[in-house]
Amino acid sequence: MKFRTRGLVASMLLLCSLPALAEDRPKIALVLGGGGAKGAAHIGVLKVLEENRIPVDFVSGTSIGAYVGGLYALGYDADQIETIMMSLDFNTGFSDDIPREQLSYRDKQFRDEYPIDPKMGWGDGKFKMAKGALQGQTMSSLIRRSIGLVPTIDDFDSLPIPFRAVATNMPDRSEVVLHDGDFAEALQASMTVPGFLAPVKRDGKLLADGGIVNNLPISIAKEQGADIVIAVDIGAPLRSEDDIDSVFAVVGQLSAFLTNENRNQQVSMLDNDDILIMPKVEGVKMTDFSSMKNIIPKGEIAAKRQLANLSELSLNKADYAAYQQDKQRQRQQLVRSVKPISRMELQNDSVVSDSLVLDKLKGLPEPNMDAESVEDAVEKVYALDQFERVGASIEKNAHNDESTLVVKTEEKSWGPSVFNAGVHFEDSFNEDLHLALDVALTVNNLFGTGGQWRTGATLGTDYHLTTEWYQPFDTQQRVYTRLGGSLGKQRWNGLMNVEDAPFTRFIKKSNEFYGGVGINLSNNAQIELAYRYEDGVFDAMNTNLLGSMGEYWAHGAELSIGYDTLDGSIFPTSGQQLTAKVGYKTSGSTSYFDSYSGHDDYWQYQLDWKGATHIGSHNFIGRVSVESVEQGKENLSNVVSLGGFLNLSGYARNSLVGNHKALATAVYTYQLDKKLVGTEWPVFVGASAEMGDVWNEKPTNDLDDWIKAGSVFVSAETSMGAAAISFGHADTGESSVYLFFGKPF
């Protein structure tokens, strides 16, 4: 039965006060449109509906409207939805980066060298690229944490409030109405912004944001059987000519064309009895999730403007209480439908071994398992950095009262061989400019146990070519072997403190080969025994001296131990990193300086430690670095250096050179408020105090003779590496201004 006049509606609502006729009231549908962070206004609208005892019988939504509407359909009230949304960092939903501390020890070191993941690879004889800038892993985790352990649902009509979400099938741009199945996946499909997030594969379709085809799904509410529609429109108006000032603005304008066109078509379907609520959210960006708390009242204000019309739909207290009780009864039925999870099933769509994935899921299912424990396990699998997506769902067993936790993995669609990159720029404005571009290709999953063949190249001021085969012996990757080699050229801006040296700069050209075996003690630690051979030559620069400074060779065994829990490579806020090495080497060299010539056996030692902690936005970082050889004379086979930002600031990069070095650094940083700097990247102001030196022969233990230095700086941790501008000064009178960007120095 369709109601066409307000008078008839009012009459019916009066009759609804009689228990026998309570079910004869008009069926009301709530339609929530898409608009990113502006969707917080939907919560404000829900608050007004609840305050005025207005029932909702159907919900349909698109994008963020599907998310808010989905939570409401599950039986959450407006305050609960607000609590859920305010407790989540939606900005992380637009970053699929694996937190550094979750990576394996080997992957941590690799990310430090090659921090840029272009989502490009090689497979099937061709170059491949990802279907979106992000794959939606973190977004799906946010959604699952929001809704809890909701099992696969046969029909969304069985929810406390019948629900529909709208998505777009990307191959033919057709509208797809989601009405059953994995509830979290349905919400994500509707929220997947094309270009930013990769489409969701579901029922043989490739689904993305429903705003492309139906951003305000009034038609769906009509099909559900609604007598009256309450539609909430948070769409963006078209930009003016002055506002179209970037490529992003152009893309946004094109998106607005599509959503506004279908929005207008949907609004034209509203009848006289329907209500359109339009919160004033102009100027609010779709990605301004940090402002959602302030957007909620905009929805309340807009809904109250329609209060005269909305109040005609209000129930009396008794009927509204009965409506709420019925909704909560159905919610409890939904909760009870989650039977005890008795088993786990892995659907592994990759060449990664099942046993390695199951090792990360060890302990599941567990008693009293909740969404947090499931997501923590999913994160461990995703941290293997071998998958495009890792998902989880609860499937009801057909023949008993138990459920199955189904974990699904998808191999990177741009793999299995993937590219990574890194950049480095450092300038101290004194003719010391250092540039580097790094590219690596990793061939993954060799021989069934996670083996890798990785080749990397560095071009720029220095050049290096490296290749390495890494092969675990077991599927859990506990024991491994490594074989590799490299060749390259490296420039130094200083020389050992030798009297009457006729040059100030030199180049080292070297070759290295190594092999070893190791044990991954945990996700954060390893121990390795290796054998290395290296040879090379030093050539002078900026001099009339002809010929090389000297040649060298060295080989021997070394034992190393590594431990790493830092949450950042250069400006961490927590964790520790330790590398300790001891080696026994045999070396020989011929040098322009007689004192360099010789042949000797010696012990070599190296210790690097970095630790970080924080109190609120105040971060404290300490570092100790020591490298030495048990020799009393200079040796070209073990040349070390200091100088540069945070490495005796004030000196040019690598300008202090010798056979022994020691450095102690204390760094303080203060993280600025993201709203103040206008970026999601962590931005810091900081200062450092440094003490150390380099020696040719025996190091001195007299700290009064060590160089003291310090710096002040502004820095940031970006997706491409660290960035900083700094002023450094040493007590020897050296000063430098540093501009730095890229991977660790």
Side-chain angles (χ1 to χ4, degrees), residues 208-231:
D209 197 306
I212 300 174
V213 292
N214 194 345
N215 200 48
L216 192 65
I218 294 168
S219 57
I220 307 302
K222 300 281 187 178
E223 292 172 4
Q224 285 180 284
D227 297 314
I228 294 177
V229 171
I230 302 172

Side-chain angles (χ1 to χ4, degrees), residues 46 54 101 112 160 255 310 523 605 674 688 709 726:
L46 293 177
I54 298 170
E101 60 270 26
D112 291 349
S255 176
L310 289 171
N523 200 55
Y605 308 99
K674 292 181 179 180
S688 70
S726 169

Side-chain angles (χ1 to χ4, degrees), residues 150-161:
V150 176
T152 298
I153 301 170
D154 295 333
D155 189 341
F156 292 171
D157 282 345
S158 65
L159 294 173
I161 303 176

Side-chain angles (χ1 to χ4, degrees), residues 171-493:
D172 59 9
R173 196 173 167 258
S174 60
E175 178 181 279
V176 178
V177 180
L178 303 172
H179 54 79
D180 61 11
D182 187 330
F183 194 72
E185 185 182 67
L187 299 185
Q188 182 173 7
S190 185
M191 298 172 68
T192 296
V193 182
F196 288 99
L197 296 168
V200 174
K201 298 176 184 176
R202 180 182 169 100
D203 299 331
K205 297 180 173 66
L206 207 59
L207 303 181
D209 197 306
I212 300 174
V213 292
N214 194 345
N215 200 48
L216 192 65
I218 294 168
S219 57
I220 307 302
K222 300 281 187 178
E223 292 172 4
Q224 285 180 284
D227 297 314
I228 294 177
V229 171
I230 302 172
V232 185
D233 178 23
I234 55 170
L238 296 178
R239 298 171 183 258
S240 66
E241 181 177 349
D242 292 339
D243 291 333
I244 305 176
D245 54 3
S246 69
V247 64
F248 300 104
V250 172
V251 173
Q253 186 79 331
L254 292 174
S255 176
F257 278 137
L258 293 173
T259 56
N260 285 357
E261 181 181 1
N262 66 61
R263 175 263 184 202
N264 293 337
Q265 292 174 351
Q266 293 293 309
V267 169
S268 68
M269 301 177 66
L270 292 174
D271 297 323
N272 292 332
D273 297 320
D274 298 326
I275 301 170
L276 178 63
I277 299 174
M278 300 180 65
K280 292 185 177 181
V281 289
E282 297 85 355
V284 179
K285 297 180 181 178
M286 293 181 62
T287 56
D288 195 7
F289 294 103
S290 59
S291 299
M292 287 197 300
K293 189 75 174 178
N294 300 324
I295 299 173
I296 294 174
K298 296 179 183 294
E300 294 183 75
I301 293 170
K304 288 177 179 178
R305 290 197 192 99
Q306 295 285 348
L307 206 52
N309 295 325
L310 289 171
S311 61
E312 296 182 7
L313 306 178
S314 178
L315 297 180
N316 62 47
K317 291 183 179 180
D319 286 342
Y320 191 70
Y323 160 79
Q324 290 282 48
Q325 289 173 1
D326 184 63
K327 190 168 68 170
Q328 290 307 311
R329 178 185 58 78
Q330 294 182 65
R331 173 162 174 75
Q332 290 304 312
Q333 288 180 348
L334 177 65
V335 171
R336 288 194 294 271
S337 72
V338 184
K339 303 302 180 182
I341 301 173
S342 60
R343 60 186 295 269
M344 182 178 64
E345 177 184 333
L346 173 62
Q347 297 179 7
N348 184 13
D349 184 18
S350 76
V351 296
V352 178
S353 68
D354 287 358
S355 58
L356 178 58
V357 177
L358 291 172
D359 185 62
K360 299 297 181 181
L361 297 170
K362 189 180 299 181
L364 294 182
E366 61 185 17
N368 303 317
M369 186 169 59
D370 58 13
E372 290 296 321
S373 58
V374 171
E375 289 308 306
D376 289 345
V378 167
E379 283 183 355
K380 290 179 182 178
V381 176
Y382 187 66
L384 291 171
D385 202 17
Q386 296 290 315
F387 305 106
E388 182 167 334
R389 280 185 180 144
V390 179
S393 60
I394 307 298
E395 305 285 348
K396 293 179 287 187
N397 297 344
H399 303 295
N400 55 47
D401 291 332
E402 296 180 332
S403 300
T404 298
L405 171 65
V406 179
V407 177
K408 304 175 183 178
T409 64
E410 295 179 36
E411 191 170 55
K412 293 179 179 179
S413 59
W414 59 94
S417 301
V418 297
F419 290 99
N420 290 84
V423 295
H424 182 97
F425 171 89
E426 186 174 343
D427 192 359
S428 58
F429 302 98
N430 60 357
E431 299 183 0
D432 178 31
L433 175 63
H434 185 86
L435 297 169
L437 171 64
D438 307 288
V439 179
L441 173 64
T442 304
V443 180
N444 286 301
N445 300 312
L446 298 176
F447 304 110
T449 56
Q452 293 179 325
W453 178 27
R454 178 172 289 153
T455 301
T458 298
L459 302 175
T461 307
D462 300 335
Y463 73 79
H464 293 279
L465 180 64
T466 64
T467 189
E468 178 186 271
W469 173 44
Y470 170 84
Q471 187 63 55
F473 290 125
D474 59 309
T475 54
Q476 279 73 40
Q477 300 187 1
R478 301 286 192 268
V479 183
Y480 66 87
T481 184
R482 285 199 307 152
L483 295 172
S486 66
L487 58 88
K489 179 198 75 172
Q490 184 176 4
R491 188 187 74 182
W492 268 284
N493 293 315

Side-chain angles (χ1 to χ4, degrees), residues 109-130:
Q109 316 314 308
F110 178 67
R111 179 185 285 186
D112 291 349
E113 287 294 313
Y114 300 92
I116 303 173
D117 182 2
K119 301 292 191 299
M120 294 175 57
W122 177 266
D124 303 324
K126 61 183 179 182
F127 285 101
K128 297 181 177 180
M129 296 187 68

Side-chain angles (χ1 to χ4, degrees), residues 700-722:
T700 176
N701 294 322
D702 188 351
L703 299 184
D704 291 337
D705 293 335
W706 289 26
I707 298 171
K708 284 78 174 178
S711 69
V712 291
F713 57 86
V714 178
S715 64
E717 288 271 13
T718 78
S719 59
M720 298 177 64

Side-chain angles (χ1 to χ4, degrees), residues 526-557:
Q526 70 174 30
I527 183 170
E528 181 177 282
L529 179 63
Y531 197 89
R532 294 180 182 273
Y533 172 85
E534 182 181 353
D535 62 40
V537 60
F538 287 84
D539 289 330
M541 296 173 61
N542 301 343
T543 177
N544 293 325
L545 181 68
L546 299 178
S548 69
M549 292 167 47
E551 300 178 355
Y552 73 93
W553 57 266
H555 64 87

